[in-house]
Amino acid sequence: MKAFMDADFLLSNDTAKKLYHEYAAKVPVLDYHCHINPREIAEDRRFENITQVWLGGDHYKWRFMRSCGVEEYYITGAASDHDKFIKWAECLGKAIGNPLYHWSHLELQRYFGFYGALSAKNAEEVWELCNKKLAEPSMTARNIIKNSNVTLICTTDDPIDSLEWHKVIAEDKDFDVQVLPAWRPDKAMYIEKPDYAEYIGKLAKVSGVEITSFEDVKKALCIRMDYFASMGCSVSDHGLEYVYYAPATAEEVEAIFAKKMSGGEVSREEEFKFKTAFMIFVGGEYCRRNWVMQLHYGVKRDNNKVMFAKIGPDTGYDCTNNYAPSSQLADFLNAVNEATGLPKTIIYSLNPVDNQAIGTIIGAFQDSAAVGKIQQGSAWWFNDNKTGMIEQMTSLANLGNLSGFVGMLTDSRSFLSYTRHEYFRRILCNLIGGWVENGEFPEDYDILGEMVRNISYYNAVNYFGFNL
């Protein structure tokens, strides 16, 4: 029997062990998509206790606690931080087979020096140990990032954001980790939302453009893209139900926009037409600016309307959407390609059933502009586990170029989530090691070592064009 989460955790053969310890583990971390609050980095936040850094905003943990029958009072309610942690520890002891078990214990090992197994039996002991460690200077937000060997972070930022905290960080020469904004214009596209007109008013104010048409929206967005670019942005991100393709004339799109702005309700057909026009426009701008376009889709959000009314979005009530027509994704990419050329694009689906569809679609749009110009993104959200990662990388290897894969990201709000890169790298090395041990690829460490180092870090550096 293997020891619990020892140095060879998830590494089941000698090739995997060599690849991980001698190659993958030694390269830095590049986190090109996360939801970290840049203000907390700028102010170098200190955390008073483990609950603040571990459970605050972590809807993965909240979902599991609910599945264990924990009252909402101890999850997002008014319970003390101590009591919330104790409840989480009680639940974690039940999380066999769940990535939360692995993530949590990797974080306890790497950041707090605790190599046991957290459960109800030792919760008080671990609470005290972690809080004592958090009081040390090494555990401020910035020092956690630096000690995690992170070189660059891309946050997630709305077009109307002032980016004031990014500016503070960039001007501080004592902090050498780059923290760059990433463009997330979802609110400018979500024409079906009741507060859409209000948002457009804010966009008009911050851009200095009087917005009375969709053409004005485009002008305002371009002005804001210019500003984001001046702050180092070269990455966009979109949260989509699915990738739409419902072409319409410019006149139709303007009529839909005018209808919404005058207080009318748009139909689903009109919504899809507007969103298609919006995405084709921004895709062309990304190509012109040499930005990377990330498409996250396949999620149905805020399903529990009772709880949404009580505690709002991003609280653990989302699910996988099983409707994501691959034909519309292909047609959308083709439309952008015909109009302006495609930007570098990373495609993520929350539904693992889409792996093969994505793998075949990206192969239809590759060109010599970059190795793996069109990427299948890493296993995302509900797939961010051992099984999901193996399936995504195996499918990518079967249908495309795994060696050109841009690898892992945290997609997290937590400063302790950088161990997810370690988790990914161990799974990557074990997968490749298994193929080698099975005689499916030669034991050539010049090739293999470079491959895992690149997937772990250097492919992303080169793909995004970051200056590191």
Side-chain angles (χ1 to χ4, degrees), residues 14 41 100 108 154 166 219 240 299 322 327 343 362 398 400 405 423:
D14 290 340
I41 302 174
L100 286 167
L108 287 171
C154 289
H166 292 85
K219 292 175 186 176
L240 305 165
V299 57
N322 67 354
S327 60
I362 66 176
N398 286 340
F405 179 34
Y423 188 59

Side-chain angles (χ1 to χ4, degrees), residues 355 376-379 387-397 405:
N355 281 337
Q376 180 181 10
S378 61
T387 301
M389 291 181 188
I390 291 172
E391 289 181 353
Q392 182 268 335
M393 286 189 283
T394 300
S395 181
L396 177 57
F405 179 34

Side-chain angles (χ1 to χ4, degrees), residues 266-341:
V266 298
S267 68
R268 284 286 275 176
E269 181 182 2
E270 290 171 329
E271 173 192 338
F272 296 155
K273 287 182 176 180
F274 181 83
K275 288 180 175 179
T276 299
F278 184 97
M279 290 301 301
I280 291 174
F281 160 69
V282 293
E285 282 297 315
Y286 302 153
C287 184
R288 186 173 70 82
R289 298 165 185 271
N290 196 28
W291 283 17
V292 174
M293 175 169 67
Q294 296 183 94
L295 306 174
H296 285 86
Y297 67 87
V299 57
K300 187 175 184 300
R301 298 181 185 273
D302 306 324
N303 296 285
N304 188 328
K305 300 304 181 185
V306 173
M307 291 305 297
F308 178 80
K310 291 181 179 179
I311 58 178
D314 301 320
T315 50
Y317 295 99
D318 309 311
C319 71
T320 300
N321 185 347
N322 67 354
Y323 179 73
S326 58
S327 60
Q328 291 196 36
L329 170 59
D331 288 344
F332 164 73
L333 294 175
N334 184 64
V336 178
N337 195 39
E338 286 187 327
T340 57

Side-chain angles (χ1 to χ4, degrees), residues 124-140:
E124 291 288 353
E125 170 195 343
V126 176
W127 168 259
E128 295 296 336
L129 182 152
C130 291
N131 293 346
K132 182 177 180 181
K133 180 69 176 178
L134 284 168
E136 297 178 3
S138 63
M139 293 299 286
T140 64

